[in-house]
Every structure is written in C-alpha cells, then in structure tokens.
Amino acid sequence: MELQAAMPVAFPVVALVTTTREVLTELLGGCSVPANAVRTGRRYDQGELVDPGRVLTLAEQETTIVGADLVGPDYGRSGPFYRLVVGDKDDGAFFYVSAYPAYPEFDEPARTILLCIPDRTCVGVAVGAATTLAAAIRGGGQIEECQLDLFPVVDPHAAIQALRLPDAGTGFVDQCVRFVRAIRSLNGWPSTANAASWPSSWPS
C-alpha cells in the first residue's frame, strides 16, 4: 500500500522527523510518542532481510534533503529508500521521493511526490499517515493519494483535525490500534490488540 503527498518545496530530513512526531502525537490524541529515527541502507535478498541498515545521524538528517538527489530515468526519477521508525521495535514506514517532469500539452506541472509505504501493523499505518501528513505540511503541498481511503481531505491540517483521536488513551500502541480501527475501509481490523503486530492478520 502507498500513501502519497505532493511537495512543491524541498526540506531536510530532520524537519520531516520532527514534524512526523508532532503530527503523530496530535493524531493519537496527545499520547506520548516514543523517539523516532531514520534508517538507510536496508537490504533484502529474496524477501529476507539481510542488512537492517544504519540510523542517520543528526548531522546527516540536517544535510539530507527530501526531494533532492533524485536518480533514474527522466520520467519518475526516484531517490533512495529511507525508513522512519518509532520506538525500539523497528516498526514504522518506508518513504522515498519521485520527481515527475511537466507536460504542458496536458496542463500537467512538474511534481515532486513523497511516497510512503507503512508496515502492515497498526503502528506502521499510524506512522505512515503521520509521515505523509508531515511531508505535505513541510513541503507546502497536499495529500495526493491514499490506498487505504484514509485521508478525508487533501489539506494536511484539515486531515489531522478530521482524523485525530479525542483523547490520549492508555498508551502508544493501543492508540495506534484505535487509530487504525477508525479507518472505515479496514472494517474494524484488527479484531484484537494482539493481532496488531502480525502482518498475517492484515485484512485480505
């Protein structure tokens, strides 16, 4: 699944990290959110994790720009994958940036899009939502697409107000479960809090 945000303005990774935590705190009704980090260099071999990558230092977060250093062909140039995780369970969401050129003949301007792929857990979905909203806020843009039918509006600030939980609840993971259960398209998934941490429990 992917969540997308348009970003007319580039910004450093540290701004995405800070704003993601602020947005996540608000989405979860003021709940205390564990520290987050950004990892890079994660590698898989035939679907198996072979290298978890490393955490970006603060200096790297300040100098790595979301929307810069894009690579690949002229259409849909994509930068490297990063992973934003919250807490000590390596739970969170991948994100990367793609740039699309302008097509005047179709009245399509050039666009820079952050694509976010959350883990199939309640924490992952909540982190993915917060990361996408934070990218739209910092990038001066809007929500572009959501395969979960999660965002009710394209304006990120209005989306936060529409999605936020009314209270801080009893803890971070429990609040993430509540947040995901409120997504209508998931039909009440997960049925139990314990199921929230298992990819196999994701609704088909």
Side-chain angles (χ1 to χ4, degrees), residues 163-188:
L163 294 170
R164 70 184 307 276
L165 296 175
D167 57 72
T170 58
F172 174 68
V173 174
D174 288 343
Q175 286 297 86
C176 289
V177 173
R178 288 180 64 195
F179 178 79
V180 170
R181 281 179 174 159
I183 302 173
R184 295 183 197 175
S185 61
L186 296 183
N187 297 317

Side-chain angles (χ1 to χ4, degrees), residues 65-156:
I65 304 301
V66 178
D69 302 324
L70 300 175
V71 297
D74 289 341
Y75 182 79
R77 296 176 300 151
S78 296
F81 275 79
Y82 294 95
R83 181 169 172 78
L84 198 154
V85 297
V86 175
D88 57 1
K89 301 294 185 182
D90 194 38
D91 212 350
F94 289 95
F95 68 90
Y96 66 102
V97 176
S98 287
Y100 299 90
Y103 286 92
E105 62 271 30
F106 300 112
D107 292 326
E108 291 185 9
R111 298 184 304 142
T112 301
I113 304 292
L114 180 135
L115 299 97
C116 186
I117 306 171
D119 292 347
R120 292 191 167 196
T121 64
C122 288
V123 171
V125 172
V127 171
T131 302
T132 306
L133 290 162
I137 291 169
R138 283 293 186 173
Q142 64 182 29
I143 305 303
E144 282 282 308
E145 180 179 320
C146 178
Q147 295 176 349
L148 290 175
D149 294 327
L150 170 57
F151 302 115
V153 290
V154 298
D155 177 76

